Amino acid sequence: KPATVTHLWRWPVKGLGGERLQQVDTQVGQLFPYDRAIALENGPSDFDAAKPVHVPKRQFVCMVHQPQTGRLSASFNEAANTLNIQTLDGRTAEINPADPSALETLAEELVDHGVRGRLKLRFPEATDTGHGFTDVPDRWISIQNLASIQQLEEAAGISLDPRRFRANILVESWGAFEEESWVGKTLLIGGARCLVAEPVYRC
């Protein structure tokens, strides 16, 4: 069934707010480029930058455990290899991932719940690994149906910002929760063919 893509989002730093994209080039079996490519380690973790593999999200700052991360948003400048950080109170900073002390200091100021130790910016040594600090080992792109969010808003009686659910692709023109019937089917999104694997069960 035809639908309209309304937004493309990526989240360069796990747990922080992200950036809206106008277009994105996807690769088979990969995340959006630089989506959740960086994370703030919450005390010592099992992450090995030289051999990056999936580790549990509890070892990093994430919104479900540290909701104050919503006070920070990140965008990634691929040409300059820098993070651009913005806070809710209007502060901005340009961060070189190789020298992340300014972001670490800012995060420690704004994130104070459930912190087990010094927050340390972590990322793979090689930028072409395709590694992402995702909740599951699989490298999936997530799709969100705006009609489902609207129905949830009506049932809960509150306004919900779709960005809370950290999806990459937001679509409209489907009925509420119609997306659950697409599991096992292939969607054509722009020039990409996407196999729908399973629903995303949010915490």
Side-chain angles (χ1 to χ4, degrees), residues 16-32:
L16 274 60
E19 62 180 321
R20 185 174 175 179
L21 305 174
Q22 295 304 311
Q23 64 181 35
V24 64
D25 293 325
T26 57
Q27 301 294 326
V28 175
Q30 299 296 329
L31 304 165
F32 274 14

Side-chain angles (χ1 to χ4, degrees), residues 4 22 31 41 43 55 58 62 65 70 85 99 107 109 112-113 134 155 174 178 182 187 192 196:
T4 300
Q22 295 304 311
L31 304 165
E41 184 181 59
V55 294
R58 287 296 300 267
C62 53
H65 299 299
I85 303 297
D99 181 19
E109 173 192 339
D112 56 13
H113 177 77
T134 49
W174 288 342
E178 184 179 343
W182 297 115
L187 303 180
V196 181

Side-chain angles (χ1 to χ4, degrees), residues 96-119:
N96 183 336
D99 181 19
S101 56
L103 176 54
E104 293 168 346
T105 299
L106 192 59
E108 288 189 342
E109 173 192 339
L110 297 176
V111 180
D112 56 13
H113 177 77
V115 175
R116 298 190 298 270
R118 179 167 174 75
L119 299 179

Side-chain angles (χ1 to χ4, degrees), residues 178-200:
E178 184 179 343
E179 65 274 19
E180 294 184 3
S181 69
W182 297 115
V183 174
K185 298 180 180 179
T186 299
L187 303 180
L188 180 63
I189 305 177
R193 292 186 177 275
C194 302
L195 175 65
V196 181
E198 64 181 54
V200 177

Side-chain angles (χ1 to χ4, degrees), residues 43-55:
S45 75
D46 298 324
F47 177 70
D48 183 349
K51 299 178 180 179
V53 296
H54 179 263
V55 294

